[in-house]
Amino acid sequence: MFLLASCTQHQNHQQPVESKTSAGVETMDSPASAAANIDFSDTLQLTTDQNMLFNKELFKVKIGKKIVLILKNTQAKSSMSMVHNVVILNKGTDIADFAEVARKAINEQYVPSALASSIIAYTKTVSGGESDEVEFTIPQPGIYDFICSYPGHWGTMQGKIVAE
């Protein structure tokens, strides 16, 4: 099963997780093989809280079909709650490079217009108790990354969308 490890350091978790077969031989599961075991979805519901993790890290969608992305920040509403967003990146976008530019895009809610060609869709930043919803389509098959682009969050707040 493909799992993204959570950690306290900000790292790029794009590598598949090693697992062992019943014979004890290590294998590398990919997001595509892990997605074979999940149903197609046209609504991607993500929740997050102060732990800087999304509740889901893998989705499977059909290309060309309208998809609804819903982000809900489940923290209690307060001036101290963390803000989060979701940015779905085009195939081949380097997450660390994107995040470096995004952290400087304060006036754009950490979604840099300079990298618009790297972005499929994004939510606004939401504080505790808030949510946002966007619609999008993915035109080509492949594996697409999604992250929270708020500075320092992308290391643990990311996942994959497998489009078939």
Side-chain angles (χ1 to χ4, degrees):
M1 173 182 277
F2 177 74
L3 298 173
L4 294 177
S6 62
C7 68
T8 55
Q9 294 188 16
H10 302 288
Q11 299 175 12
N12 189 343
H13 296 290
Q14 295 188 44
Q15 292 76 31
V17 174
E18 290 184 2
S19 62
K20 295 196 184 245
T21 64
S22 59
V25 177
E26 288 188 358
T27 62
M28 296 298 278
D29 291 342
S30 70
S33 64
N37 299 323
I38 63 173
D39 293 330
F40 284 98
S41 180
D42 56 5
T43 302
L44 312 182
Q45 294 187 352
L46 287 169
T47 61
T48 187
D49 57 26
Q50 75 278 0
N51 293 322
M52 290 185 20
L53 295 169
F54 289 122
N55 66 314
K56 292 186 83 174
E57 298 173 332
L58 183 63
F59 293 96
K60 183 167 68 171
V61 301
K62 292 191 177 197
I63 58 170
K65 185 170 180 168
K66 181 178 79 169
I67 302 161
V68 177
L69 168 63
I70 302 168
L71 173 66
K72 180 172 175 111
N73 188 332
T74 59
Q75 282 183 267
K77 187 174 184 117
S78 81
S79 61
M80 300 301 289
S81 65
M82 286 188 189
V83 294
H84 301 292
N85 69 356
V86 178
V87 180
I88 301 170
L89 301 171
N90 272 315
K91 291 187 299 186
T93 301
D94 183 275
I95 294 174
D97 290 346
F98 181 89
E100 178 60 24
V101 175
R103 78 176 181 84
K104 299 173 187 172
I106 299 165
N107 294 333
E108 297 176 287
Q109 292 194 8
Y110 307 102
V111 181
S113 58
L115 296 180
S117 64
S118 298
I119 301 168
I120 293 176
Y122 63 93
T123 66
K124 67 181 182 180
T125 54
V126 294
S127 294
E130 296 179 343
S131 63
D132 191 31
E133 180 177 313
V134 296
E135 293 181 357
F136 66 98
T137 60
I138 295 180
Q140 296 181 359
I143 300 171
Y144 297 82
D145 294 304
F146 63 88
I147 65 168
C148 175
S149 66
Y150 189 85
H153 291 197
W154 68 273
T156 57
M157 296 185 74
Q158 59 179 273
K160 308 269 186 206
I161 300 171
V162 176
E164 298 178 350

